[in-house]
Amino acid sequence: MQDAFLIATERWPRDGVPSNPGAWVVATARNRAIDRIRREQTLARKTELLARVEQLPGDEDAGVPDERLELIFACCHPALAADAQVALTLSLVGGLTTPEIARAFIVPEPTLAQRLVRAKRKIRDAGIPLRVPPEHLLPERLRTVFATIYLVFNAGYGPPVRRELCAEAIRLALLLATLMPDEAEAHGLHALLLFQDARRDARISPDGRLVLLDDQDRSLWDEDEIDQGRAALERALVLRIPGPYQLQAAIASLHAGDETDWRQIALLYARLAELTPSPVIDLNLAVAVAMAHGVEDGLALADAIEGLDEYYLLHSTRADFLRRLGRNAEAHEAYERAIALAPSDVEREFLRERL
């Protein structure tokens, strides 16, 4: 951008100010960025980034060259609470229903419905404009945009699987990573979605049953997506700006190996819990600790988690720990609770089989 302004000070007095100065500066800065990539990056990275940049639409007036991504940035207005921004975007842009969004936030459906009503009322009463912000304000909305794309993917990941949502989330993550190549978390999110999507077809059996990771047919995993995920994660790591999506992508990459390094996964989840404290992350940490250090340690962590009593995976996790410890009566009770809370027939059937 500095180079573009320097060129403008040289050319505009001589040639005149262009009809759209902002678009001229953006286009010139983009061309200078391409030149810098050619000069400074390794051949492999250079070739890949140039190809991705050149695939973007050529309209110089478009700050965000994608209608759906524009809508996401528009809905993520900082005047709204962060959870309201995500919920509103999932509703207006992702097309998710109120029950689906409520499950994503792990809140009762009436609570989520009220959240959406309040957000829409605030937009109306305060006259908040739902439009794409100027480019210099885009970064402040990135965190919410990342969360929205991630939740759109999760909604498609199922069960039931909705491939179109998964594909759209991956496309948007790739577009973000291409538009903002210096944003490490954009590459981290893209890597995470690729790793997860690579296992999609192995998660559900031909007769519609849920298949755990250890029982999945790895020949069904998409090796090309796994390779793309590793490349995206490498692009993130070389920037040396750690973040939660990169940590989750690193965990997913360890699951994609021939053997699962549970000790390393437990360390990564512990770091993730430090960066973004969350009871759901604590539950994943409990599972990793149980696998790495023993079921008793994992159960102790799971029993200490607060705020997830209505979350079926807490109870199914505890049930599995208790079963492995031979505490069958307690495991039976935990499975019954998980079945009562499970959001889909596929998950309820899986838990009934475990019971």
Side-chain angles (χ1 to χ4, degrees):
M1 188 62 74
Q2 291 173 332
D3 291 346
F5 280 120
L6 180 60
I7 295 171
T9 62
E10 295 171 349
R11 292 187 183 175
W12 291 4
R14 183 185 70 231
D15 302 333
V17 177
S19 59
N20 190 333
W24 186 96
V25 169
V26 170
T28 303
R30 172 173 153 169
N31 291 334
R32 295 296 290 179
I34 292 174
D35 290 341
R36 178 166 295 185
I37 290 171
R38 288 196 176 106
R39 288 197 309 269
E40 297 179 358
Q41 300 301 317
T42 64
L43 178 61
R45 179 168 166 78
K46 173 187 67 179
T47 303
E48 179 186 14
L49 282 178
L50 285 174
R52 291 166 65 193
V53 169
E54 289 167 358
Q55 288 171 2
L56 293 178
D59 183 3
E60 294 181 358
D61 294 327
V64 182
D66 180 88
E67 182 176 338
R68 183 158 295 188
L69 194 58
E70 283 185 350
L71 286 172
I72 293 176
F73 272 106
C75 289
C76 295
H77 196 286
L80 301 173
D83 54 2
Q85 294 175 35
V86 177
L88 184 67
T89 310
L90 290 174
S91 173
L92 298 182
V93 182
L96 273 62
T97 64
T98 299
E100 288 173 326
I101 302 171
R103 286 198 296 271
F105 279 92
I106 318 177
V107 297
E109 186 177 333
T111 301
L112 192 282
Q114 283 299 313
R115 194 174 292 176
L116 286 171
V117 169
R118 285 195 299 269
K120 293 175 182 177
R121 184 182 299 132
K122 183 168 185 178
I123 290 170
R124 181 195 66 207
D125 295 345
I128 295 173
L130 284 183
R131 60 171 180 256
V132 182
E135 288 193 20
H136 69 281
L137 295 180
L138 293 180
E140 72 180 20
R141 304 193 185 188
L142 267 183
R143 183 176 179 179
T144 310
V145 172
F146 290 154
T148 301
I149 293 173
Y150 182 52
L151 289 175
V152 167
F153 178 86
N154 282 347
Y157 204 48
V161 174
R162 296 162 68 180
R163 296 173 184 270
E164 71 283 358
L165 286 181
C166 292
E168 178 64 5
I170 292 172
R171 185 188 72 81
L172 291 171
L174 172 59
L175 184 57
L176 268 182
T178 304
L179 289 170
M180 302 177 174
D182 294 327
E183 288 287 345
E185 281 288 81
H187 298 294
L189 174 63
H190 183 217
L192 173 61
L193 300 192
L194 288 168
F195 282 127
Q196 300 285 54
D197 195 61
R199 300 196 298 266
R200 184 187 58 204
D201 291 341
R203 291 178 65 243
I204 307 296
S205 68
D207 59 356
R209 296 170 184 263
L210 192 64
V211 183
L212 292 179
L213 181 63
D214 288 343
D215 300 326
Q216 289 175 12
D217 180 358
R218 295 197 172 205
S219 68
L220 297 176
W221 290 6
D222 190 324
E223 292 295 334
D224 183 55
E225 272 195 312
I226 291 174
D227 289 341
Q228 291 178 48
R230 288 181 176 135
L233 180 57
E234 180 61 26
R235 286 193 291 274
L237 296 178
V238 297
L239 295 171
R240 298 188 178 276
I241 308 172
Y245 290 108
Q246 295 168 72
L247 285 170
Q248 292 177 76
I251 291 167
S253 73
L254 291 173
H255 283 304
D258 293 333
E259 295 184 5
T260 303
D261 186 344
W262 283 107
R263 289 180 178 270
Q264 182 68 17
I265 289 174
L267 290 172
L268 290 171
Y269 269 123
R271 177 62 179 139
L272 185 60
E274 293 174 0
L275 279 180
T276 54
S278 157
V280 174
I281 294 174
D282 291 339
L283 180 58
N284 282 283
L285 174 60
V287 173
V289 167
M291 298 298 293
H293 304 292
V295 180
E296 289 276 9
D297 290 343
L299 180 60
L301 290 176
D303 285 342
I305 296 173
E306 298 180 355
L308 290 184
D309 191 56
E310 299 298 314
Y311 189 42
Y312 82 103
L313 287 177
L314 171 65
H315 300 286
S316 67
T317 299
R318 289 190 70 257
D320 184 61
F321 289 167
L322 292 164
R323 175 189 61 80
R324 290 159 63 186
L325 292 170
R327 294 161 59 177
N328 290 343
E330 294 170 89
H332 186 285
E333 183 180 349
Y335 272 127
E336 291 281 13
R337 178 70 172 149
I339 291 168
L341 294 170
S344 75
D345 290 338
V346 172
E347 286 153 317
R348 282 189 287 272
E349 181 60 30
F350 170 80
L351 291 169
R352 288 192 188 99
E353 289 182 1
R354 303 289 284 185
L355 177 56

